[in-house]
Amino acid sequence: MFRTCDITGLKVDLSAERLIKLNAVMAVVSLLIGVIGALLLVLTRWQVVHLLPVDWYYRVLTLHGLNALIFWIVFFEIAGLYFGSTIVLNSRMSSSKFGWLAFILMVLGFLLVNFTILTGKADVLMTSYAPLQAHPVYYLGVILFAVGALIGVFLFFANLLIARKERTYGDSLPLFTFGLVAAAIIATLTLATGAIIYIPTLLWSLGIIKSIDAGVYKLVWWGLGHSSQQINVTAMIAVWYLGAFLTVGGTSINEKVSRLAFVFYVIGINVASAHHLLVDPGPSPAWKVFNTSYIMYIAVLASMIHAFAVPSAVESAQRRRGFTKGLFDWLKNAPWGNPAFSAVLLSIIIFGFIGGVTGVVNGMEQTNIIVHNTLSIPGHFKGTVVGGTTLAFMGATYYLIPLVFRKRISFFGLAKLQPWVFGIGIAILAVSMYILGAFGVPRRHYDITFSGGPFTYTFNPATDFFWVLFAIGGIMAVIGALMWILIVVVSVFFGAPLRGPQDMQLQIASPPPPAKEEHGFEAPGTLTLTLLFMGVFLIFLLLNWGWLAAMWEVR
């Protein structure tokens, strides 16, 4: 059964729409749990408050990691895969029965994992390194969730085959859906890696297998743990392109290059997982250097292409609308009142200037040692998965609410403010965490004063200032996330129905006029911003090499 969208004119498969809604709702539930955990962790790591006792600190750290980094994002991505392979392509769902099976398995896994964590049977953190052992139900829950997600990914590929066979779209996939294809390929490899390591770990927890080699576990697990975040990065960039198109009618000035960049992700981004093993004695130095330099640079190049392509798509569209004065008239007159647009632009800035710059330093075999296992590492995560992926996904919902849920956006004035509160809060939190890590603050330690221990340590007094920033940024980000959850929940369950195009608070941009034949570069403003980014990146990189030389006392 289908309906025709009176806004886009696309044919909407009702079974696909139902599954999109259900997965999206579970994504919001997961994020709420993750946000509550984040607030408790901020108020515990900040030694002035030190809220939680030690056992609950590690319990909530596990809870936060699984819900914020895995459940929230994967539920949302499965909804996005269904959306990108049916509604966007004007096509139908391949199998609603398997879609329900995938959803049930994922929800069951979600419930089992959270139950075992909250009952104190899985205080093993998200990484769950052997020989730490959780209750078998915990591992079963992870496996069920992964299997459900894998079924969802396979359904995405099946949907694409149907759309291709029935010729429901043009000669090539839309760039948004093409990006989702890259994300789905990475997801298949990632989830398969998870099965390879979690199935024997389940048998070990049941006593069927006597032991798990800790080195092998860590090596294989990071093929899941790091690569799952690369699914997020790839899906995030697909959402960037979608956001540019919906808000200003922007399209990549060279789609072939953008598509090639997605292919680069598939080739190189998973291998960069090796940077989590740089201090492990097992892998050889040659293996470490090769994977965290030559191979990783393929993924870095892809990110640089996208970081230029998306803003240039916006600039090109704006200039064709007449905003041509100087370098940044197009940016000044962008639709900043549209929360989907501000979320995408803030996501690009935070991901690039914070997550991307720190990620290259963290991932290099040499400079990694400066920040390895310090608070800088989760600070980097905040710049990528939270300030980048989560903020981009939040922005996308401001179009999904009216187009999929057929509801008006509640608290629309608050929605305009929400990306700024969340984005600025995350930026402050990420930067403060990275600087604290540079001062040597450990990554997961409950009490950095080591009170009651045989020795104590006093950090540089400058860290007191950055701990205050840490608290301000963390609380601000939590408020921004709760604002978004409030807007989504009220809109979806209690909001006014969308009766037609006249009720749309965020209009879908019409295509800009054709470009005039003029000499000169099509996106000079974006080029200038890109050069600024490169300057910041090079300065930060040189500083880290300088700090490394000082550490080694190189003369």
Side-chain angles (χ1 to χ4, degrees):
M1 296 178 65
F2 296 89
R3 69 172 176 86
T4 300
C5 179
D6 54 3
I7 296 167
T8 63
L10 294 172
K11 186 171 61 174
V12 179
D13 184 325
L14 296 182
S15 63
E17 185 179 54
R18 192 173 301 112
L19 288 167
I20 293 168
K21 291 178 180 179
L22 289 170
N23 280 280
V25 168
M26 282 304 303
V28 176
V29 172
S30 304
L31 182 61
L32 177 59
I33 297 172
V35 168
I36 293 171
L39 179 61
L40 295 174
L41 293 173
V42 166
L43 296 178
T44 302
R45 287 306 306 259
W46 189 23
Q47 297 288 144
V48 173
V49 179
H50 213 46
L51 179 66
L52 296 174
V54 62
D55 54 343
W56 271 100
Y57 165 72
Y58 288 107
R59 192 163 299 153
V60 172
L61 192 56
T62 307
L63 185 78
H64 169 71
L66 268 296
N67 283 279
L69 288 177
I70 303 295
F71 296 144
W72 137 247
I73 291 181
V74 174
F75 270 122
F76 195 93
E77 285 166 350
I78 293 299
L81 291 178
Y82 294 158
F83 175 77
S85 61
T86 58
I87 296 176
V88 171
L89 299 183
N90 206 33
S91 186
R92 61 186 175 88
M93 188 77 178
S94 55
S95 172
S96 60
K97 291 181 180 179
F98 277 102
W100 276 99
L101 175 62
F103 177 73
I104 291 169
L105 289 175
M106 291 173 69
V107 171
L108 183 58
F110 163 85
L111 293 173
L112 292 178
V113 168
N114 281 297
F115 172 77
T116 51
I117 293 172
L118 290 172
T119 53
K121 297 176 181 177
D123 296 338
V124 292
L125 305 185
M126 193 184 83
T127 49
S128 54
Y129 288 149
L132 293 176
Q133 189 180 84
H135 192 279
V137 172
Y138 171 82
Y139 301 113
L140 177 62
V142 173
I143 292 169
L144 290 176
F145 183 84
V147 170
L150 196 56
I151 293 172
V153 172
F154 289 158
L155 284 174
F156 167 76
F157 288 122
N159 295 343
L160 294 182
L161 291 175
I162 289 174
R164 185 65 178 170
K165 182 179 179 180
E166 298 178 356
R167 301 182 180 276
T168 61
Y169 61 93
D171 294 333
S172 60
L173 288 172
L175 188 55
F176 166 67
T177 304
F178 187 88
L180 293 181
V181 171
I185 293 171
I186 297 171
T188 303
L189 300 172
T190 300
L191 294 170
T193 304
I196 289 171
I197 195 59
Y198 269 114
I199 291 175
T201 307
L202 170 63
L203 298 176
W204 168 59
S205 68
L206 289 169
I208 298 173
I209 295 177
K210 291 185 178 180
S211 64
I212 291 285
D213 184 281
V216 172
Y217 176 93
K218 189 175 182 182
L219 173 67
V220 179
W221 189 90
W222 276 112
L224 165 72
H226 184 84
S227 302
S228 62
Q229 309 317 313
Q230 307 318 315
I231 307 169
N232 307 337
V233 169
T234 310
M236 169 195 73
I237 292 172
V239 169
W240 286 356
Y241 284 110
L242 178 66
F245 177 76
L246 292 175
T247 57
V248 299
T251 55
S252 175
I253 59 178
N254 193 323
E255 276 207 11
K256 290 182 179 179
V257 173
S258 294
R259 291 172 190 268
L260 180 62
F262 279 121
V263 175
F264 283 167
Y265 270 159
V266 174
I267 295 171
I269 207 163
N270 276 4
V271 185
S273 306
H275 75 264
H276 291 279
L277 307 170
L278 289 175
V279 299
D280 285 38
S284 69
W287 181 88
K288 293 175 182 178
V289 172
F290 180 76
N291 285 289
T292 58
S293 57
Y294 302 104
I295 295 295
M296 187 180 74
Y297 296 155
I298 297 174
V300 173
L301 174 61
S303 294
M304 291 296 295
I305 291 171
H306 292 307
F308 176 81
V310 179
S312 65
V314 174
E315 179 176 1
S316 177
Q318 287 287 87
R319 287 185 177 276
R320 281 183 279 163
R321 295 184 194 281
F323 301 113
T324 57
K325 295 179 182 178
L327 286 175
F328 301 115
D329 188 45
W330 62 276
L331 195 57
K332 176 185 174 183
N333 291 282
W336 294 107
N338 183 334
F341 178 83
S342 59
V344 166
L345 262 290
L346 287 171
S347 170
I348 293 171
I349 293 169
I350 295 170
F351 181 84
F353 280 87
I354 300 176
V357 169
T358 60
V360 173
V361 170
N362 296 356
M364 292 177 66
E365 198 266 347
Q366 299 88 346
T367 53
N368 169 274
I369 198 65
I370 300 175
V371 294
H372 191 86
N373 218 25
T374 70
L375 202 59
S376 295
I377 303 303
H380 159 71
F381 293 160
K382 298 299 181 288
T384 54
V385 183
V386 189
T389 303
T390 294
L391 186 54
F393 287 0
M394 286 176 170
T397 58
Y398 291 118
Y399 277 102
L400 294 179
I401 289 171
L403 293 178
V404 176
F405 288 89
R406 306 293 297 164
K407 294 293 184 72
R408 287 173 57 84
I409 300 170
S410 301
F411 310 118
F412 189 63
L414 192 65
K416 293 181 179 181
L417 184 63
Q418 182 271 324
W420 296 95
V421 176
F422 183 77
I424 293 172
I426 281 296
I428 294 172
L429 177 66
V431 171
S432 62
M433 291 175 76
Y434 204 88
I435 294 174
L436 286 167
F439 277 107
V441 175
R443 176 178 177 181
R444 290 167 168 168
H445 207 287
Y446 168 70
D447 184 359
I448 63 170
T449 66
F450 303 99
S451 58
F455 59 87
T456 59
Y457 182 80
T458 302
F459 286 95
N460 189 308
T463 59
D464 295 339
F465 171 74
F466 292 105
W467 277 118
V468 173
L469 283 183
F470 168 86
I472 292 172
I475 293 171
M476 190 174 176
V478 166
I479 291 172
L482 292 176
M483 288 168 62
W484 179 81
I485 292 170
L486 173 67
I487 293 164
V488 170
V489 170
V490 173
S491 300
V492 168
F493 293 103
F494 310 104
L498 192 76
R499 293 167 294 183
Q502 70 277 5
D503 283 347
M504 280 286 289
Q505 295 138 300
L506 301 178
Q507 298 299 318
I508 297 176
S510 57
K516 298 179 181 179
E517 292 188 8
E518 295 181 355
H519 297 290
F521 194 69
E522 189 171 349
T526 302
L527 177 62
T528 303
L529 293 174
T530 304
L531 292 174
L532 172 64
F533 168 79
M534 287 300 297
V536 171
F537 171 70
L538 289 174
I539 290 170
F540 188 72
L541 192 63
L542 290 173
L543 283 172
N544 275 271
W545 278 102
W547 293 330
L548 181 63
M551 249 182 214
W552 285 350
E553 297 184 354
V554 175
R555 302 299 182 187

